[in-house]
Amino acid sequence: MPELPEVEVTRFRIEPFLVGRRLGAVRTTSASYVFLTKPAALRSRLRGRAVTALGRHGKYLVAALDDGRRLVIHLGMTGQLFSAAATSVRLLSASTRQALAPEEQRCFRPDVHTHLRLAFEDRGPEVYFRDVRKFGKLLLLDPGETTPRLERLGPDALSVRGDLLFEASRKRAVSIKQILLDQSLVAGVGNIYADEALFLSGIRPGRRAARMTRRECDRLADAVVRVLRRSIETGGSSIRDYVAPDGNDGAYQLERHVYARAGKPCFSCGGPIRKRVIAQRGTHYCPACQR
Ligand SMILES: [Zn+2]
């Protein structure tokens, strides 16, 4: 599933193909749970509008339009937002790719999974939203309209600070990992990044949040930002179906210290990385390096 770094990588790669361009024809697939706004309404309201900005909050992308409306996009599990100018056969799953003839493998053609096709008045490359498993979402907000999907989110994880984690953990009888994964406190920290940040800050994921000191909260907030930034720099993780809009696999998995390394030696102390369920998630940590 795309996590915050992958969504941010998507944002800055697709931004030049969206911002400043005026939409021409808009095509969609038929109504499905991808469409929180009806496909017909999306087609008629988007046409002729210019995209003025592409922002991100947690794992939501928000495209601002020149009429004050906002198009909210969530990539779900397998959603991809990419330009026809930067497509690659690697956008397709391995099985799909193998089913294609060699000449078909050279460029992407919109298929039944391409739920939104944006053409532009400049007749330049189209932009596609494609989602095989359809857990992604498309929602068009009227000027001034809000949605609980965005409203209920805490500050974006890239701006998290120690004082926020400290305050949030005071009255909670939960683990610090639970705090990190609570999207209403911090938006966009997923399981991998929570485990990695806790390792880098030397804190056990199962530690009771209320026992965290202010100094530890500062260290943890720094680690969250560091691990997310590093992942963004390296192009986002590549997790099964996720491939960046230009077809490049990310490389973050090469740098993982604990995630998906159960039983393997810790890079710091050599002891085995342990895995257990914390905050309802498979959690990886080093019992010697994390306290
Ligand atoms: Zn260790």
Side-chain angles (χ1 to χ4, degrees):
M1 174 180 328
E3 300 236 25
L4 184 150
E6 291 87 342
V7 178
E8 177 61 13
V9 168
T10 297
R11 192 196 67 75
F12 69 67
R13 287 191 181 157
I14 202 71
E15 190 175 41
F17 296 104
L18 271 181
V19 176
R21 298 180 76 194
R22 191 165 292 279
L23 293 160
V26 174
R27 274 168 285 190
T28 66
T29 49
S30 54
S32 68
Y33 39 82
V34 167
F35 295 98
L36 298 179
T37 300
K38 289 202 173 76
L42 266 188
R43 293 194 299 266
S44 66
R45 289 175 195 159
L46 289 177
R47 188 182 183 116
R49 301 273 54 91
V51 181
T52 57
L54 183 64
R56 181 191 55 74
H57 190 157
K59 298 203 281 183
Y60 286 91
L61 292 168
V62 183
L65 305 171
D66 62 349
D67 63 353
R69 287 197 172 100
R70 292 181 296 161
L71 177 63
V72 179
I73 303 167
H74 195 281
L75 300 178
M77 303 280 287
T78 53
Q80 300 162 318
L81 186 66
F82 58 96
S83 162
T87 59
S88 144
V89 68
R90 292 167 74 194
L91 287 161
L92 305 173
S93 70
S95 53
T96 309
R97 195 158 57 223
Q98 279 157 16
L100 294 175
E103 64 274 16
E104 290 175 313
Q105 292 192 13
R106 272 184 224 115
C107 76
F108 172 79
R109 280 177 219 288
D111 57 7
V112 293
H113 306 298
T114 310
H115 302 294
L116 186 64
R117 287 177 66 176
L118 303 173
F120 296 87
E121 286 187 351
D122 61 20
R123 299 186 177 274
E126 296 189 351
V127 167
Y128 306 125
F129 174 75
R130 181 174 185 268
D131 187 0
V132 173
R133 293 184 64 186
K134 293 206 272 196
F135 287 106
K137 297 287 174 232
L138 294 169
L139 169 64
L140 188 63
L141 296 174
D142 283 332
E145 189 187 356
T146 59
T147 170
R149 287 170 181 275
L150 296 176
E151 291 281 290
R152 70 187 173 207
L153 295 178
D156 188 76
L158 278 183
S159 61
V160 70
R161 293 202 321 263
D163 54 350
L164 181 140
L165 292 180
F166 186 72
E167 289 307 318
S169 53
R170 286 316 83 187
K171 27 198 161 161
R172 301 290 197 92
V174 296
S175 65
I176 185 60
K177 177 154 179 184
Q178 183 94 54
I179 296 279
L180 282 183
L181 293 179
D182 185 338
Q183 302 295 301
S184 71
L185 296 173
V186 187
V189 182
N191 202 36
I192 302 171
Y193 301 99
D195 284 4
E196 293 295 320
L198 284 160
F199 175 80
L200 292 180
S201 50
I203 296 160
R204 282 220 193 173
R207 173 97 73 84
R208 275 185 54 186
R211 295 246 176 100
M212 295 274 294
T213 65
R214 175 58 206 268
R215 189 182 290 253
E216 286 172 325
C217 287
D218 286 344
R219 224 159 63 207
L220 181 55
D222 285 350
V224 166
V225 173
R226 207 157 14 113
V227 80
L228 290 171
R229 285 207 183 286
R230 181 67 191 139
S231 184
I232 291 166
E233 279 168 25
T234 56
S237 303
S238 177
I239 307 165
R240 287 195 38 162
D241 287 326
Y242 178 77
V243 179
D246 63 0
N248 286 317
D249 289 331
Y252 184 72
Q253 71 273 21
L254 301 174
E255 286 182 23
R256 284 177 192 161
H257 297 90
V258 287
Y259 189 83
R261 296 198 64 245
K264 300 207 170 107
C266 169
F267 294 133
S268 293
C269 73
I273 298 299
R274 190 174 293 170
K275 180 181 182 185
R276 69 184 184 96
V277 174
I278 296 170
Q280 295 93 50
R281 304 295 299 272
T283 298
H284 309 76
Y285 65 100
C286 174
C289 296
Q290 293 171 259
R291 314 232 147 226

